Amino acid sequence: MIPKLPPARTARRAGPVAMLALLAALGPTLAQAEDAHRGGTLRLVSVSSQGTLDPHINYTSQFWQLYAFLYDGLVGFKKVGGTESKDIVPDLAAAMPVISNDGKTYTFTLRKGIKFADGSDMTATDVVASFQRIFKVLGPTAGTFYNGIVGADACLADPATCTLAGGVIGDEAAGTVTINLTAADPELLFKLSVPHAAILPSETPAKDNGNTPIPGTGAYVVKSYDANNSMVILRNPAFREWSKDAQPDGYVDQIVYTFGGTEEAAVNAILNGQADWMFDTPPADRLAELSTSAPGQIHLSPLSAWWYAPMNVNLPPFDNLKARQALNYAIDRDALVSVFGGPALAKPVCQVLPPEFPGHEDQCLYTLDPGTEWTAPDMDKALQLVEESGTKGQKVTVVTEDNAASRGIGTYLQSVLSDLGYEAAVQTISGDIQFTYIQNTNNKVQLSISQWYADYPAASNFLNVLFGCDSFHPGTDASINISGLCDKDIDAQMKAAIALGATDPVAADRDWAKIDRAVMEQSPALPLFTPQQVDLLSTRVGNYQFSSLHHWLIANAWVQ
């Protein structure tokens, strides 16, 4: 705190002059301090990659963490740690939009002079083409995030011919883009802040670009990507910082992301100074050791997230409600927390919405003493339901990722299914394809292990995205409603709650709590636990910042 000056006239007049002199003296020092941290290579490791590089298609926390500094939208979440990380700031737009027409029209003025990594100018044409492309590639959230845009219905019906006529209008001369909605959407700015709304060059092919990098406007650019080996990320030579809040310049010159190996090997590499960070959670048996041997290198952060096991409601045995409910009663969520690493890293959950999230009200249907919290499994009830369902003895395969946590949970579920009388097996798939594999109905996945991390702080981002009819796209790799639940009554309730949020968000959250219960009564998934983020860093890394939405802000860190 700066002490107040005495109330003398000369002191009051001298204050600003002195302050300017002080700032002038400090300015170069602060700049020099930042320059001193600039440069070097950050080395990241992961058991696997997460498939396609395409930001309009990929829907994984691993790659969204990278998209934060590779791509930009019209607006974005503030790139800082702490509570301000949920704030929305202008990004490619010069200011927040002008909202008119009773909340149905958003007009953005674009910044001038912004270029893509290939050197081409970013213009209103690119913005319009990018929104059309979201539908043309049938992005996972096209039907849930952007279906309120005028013309979206036609695009969802025939993606290849999508124009969004009257919905997204660019004016090159004025440098503006106007988005028209069919109804007010209080979540639109959230939806425009996620990577699925990234602005790409207008000539980007309207198909999954796979391993081929697409030029972005961010501070960095992908130089090369081999999903089975590594990714190399360099500074974007065309980038000039236009807003530190929206897209900071970044400190390191290069990021090398290596895929393969095990979590155990990753921990050892970080402790030996051969790597700087691991995406995967360290093995549970190493955490106690690390908490004493390297406490300064571990960062724990709360997440708005859950681990869950979607049950395919359209395939036996889980096309039977009683079979789904039986498994929910039978699992021991405390045991699952132990598999993940213990109560310091996870908390058992019985519902879709995570604790302290909009719309969350404590409720637990599937436990020994149903009420507001998890108590214990009810195996007697579970066995009774299996008998009543007539599904006993059927084959069930649990599809997991090839990492320690997912495999451990899959093995546990296999044992519970066996105890219930099913013929159970585990199928382990590489993490770079597991997420898309379990979404595609052609693969006939009965039960799988997955995770969901909040895209933005709204109940619809869990309930509507994961269990809404508009998220179910049979025969595609972009069907984020993995369970295949499409309950018309629940879907209507969700659409009503979204609309109500525009005028009465408190009442809408009360409705979302009821919807949360209604979804769990249908039991399309096994809620397992809500995790903590564990970041293990090398001693070279400084300026650690955690965003609830982007997680560790990689571009904000430096290396010695």
Side-chain angles (χ1 to χ4, degrees), residues 125-141:
T125 298
D126 300 304
V127 177
V128 174
S130 294
F131 279 95
Q132 293 170 347
R133 185 177 186 273
I134 293 169
F135 292 90
K136 288 180 178 179
V137 300
L138 198 60
T141 53

Side-chain angles (χ1 to χ4, degrees), residues 21-331:
L22 176 62
L23 290 174
L26 284 177
T29 305
L30 294 173
Q32 289 168 4
E34 291 204 352
D35 287 343
H37 291 298
R38 190 177 173 89
T41 297
L42 192 63
R43 303 159 304 180
L44 316 180
V45 293
S46 175
V47 170
S48 66
S49 63
Q50 288 293 325
T52 178
L53 266 184
D54 198 318
H56 284 169
I57 296 175
N58 192 291
Y59 208 177
T60 67
S61 62
Q62 182 174 1
F63 277 17
W64 276 33
Q65 186 176 27
L66 305 180
Y67 295 155
F69 54 82
L70 295 173
Y71 298 101
D72 296 279
L74 294 170
V75 290
F77 292 105
K78 195 172 182 179
K79 304 298 193 325
V80 295
T83 57
E84 290 185 36
S85 65
K86 295 180 181 179
D87 295 346
I88 296 176
V89 296
D91 195 348
L92 296 180
M96 297 301 285
V98 175
I99 304 174
S100 58
N101 188 25
D102 295 325
K104 293 184 289 186
T105 297
Y106 289 66
T107 302
F108 298 85
T109 299
L110 301 180
R111 297 182 191 271
K112 298 178 180 179
I114 293 181
K115 295 181 179 292
F116 291 105
D118 61 3
S120 62
D121 292 325
M122 188 280 298
T123 69
T125 298
D126 300 304
V127 177
V128 174
S130 294
F131 279 95
Q132 293 170 347
R133 185 177 186 273
I134 293 169
F135 292 90
K136 288 180 178 179
V137 300
L138 198 60
T141 53
T144 50
F145 283 13
Y146 311 109
N147 58 336
I149 298 175
V150 170
D153 286 349
C155 291
L156 290 168
D158 188 0
T161 62
C162 177
T163 63
L164 290 175
V168 182
I169 304 167
D171 185 329
E172 289 288 5
T176 61
V177 172
T178 299
I179 298 178
N180 291 311
L181 306 178
T182 57
D185 181 358
E187 299 176 12
L188 181 66
L189 292 178
F190 287 146
K191 297 168 182 176
L192 297 181
S193 299
V194 303
H196 285 165
I199 305 306
L200 309 177
S202 59
E203 62 270 17
T204 304
K207 63 181 181 64
D208 186 348
N209 256 42
N211 292 1
T212 303
I214 301 174
T217 52
Y220 292 85
V221 61
V222 176
K223 178 184 179 183
S224 62
Y225 174 53
D226 178 345
N228 297 313
N229 186 18
S230 65
M231 181 190 302
V232 177
I233 300 172
L234 302 176
R235 287 189 178 278
N236 175 0
F239 180 79
R240 298 294 181 272
E241 185 178 273
W242 59 80
S243 167
K244 191 175 185 67
D245 285 343
Q247 188 62 265
D249 189 36
Y251 285 103
V252 299
D253 289 338
Q254 178 176 247
I255 300 167
V256 177
Y257 209 147
T258 303
F259 310 118
T262 65
E263 294 94 331
E264 187 74 26
V267 170
N268 292 334
I270 293 170
L271 295 180
N272 293 333
Q274 299 165 316
D276 296 310
W277 174 80
M278 59 188 291
F279 170 76
D280 307 277
T281 303
D285 60 357
R286 296 296 302 272
L287 288 172
E289 167 206 336
L290 293 169
S291 65
T292 56
S293 65
Q297 293 176 240
I298 296 179
H299 300 266
L300 297 179
S301 305
L303 289 169
S304 295
W306 72 331
W307 278 61
Y308 71 114
M311 293 178 279
N312 192 325
V313 304
N314 300 306
L315 287 178
F318 301 122
D319 57 351
N320 188 297
L321 174 59
K322 290 185 177 181
R324 302 196 300 269
Q325 292 175 329
L327 190 52
N328 248 315
Y329 274 116
I331 60 173

Side-chain angles (χ1 to χ4, degrees), residues 419-436:
D419 291 342
L420 290 174
Y422 294 105
E423 186 178 332
V426 175
Q427 179 184 6
T428 299
I429 296 179
S430 175
D432 62 334
I433 62 171
Q434 191 259 5
F435 188 55
T436 52

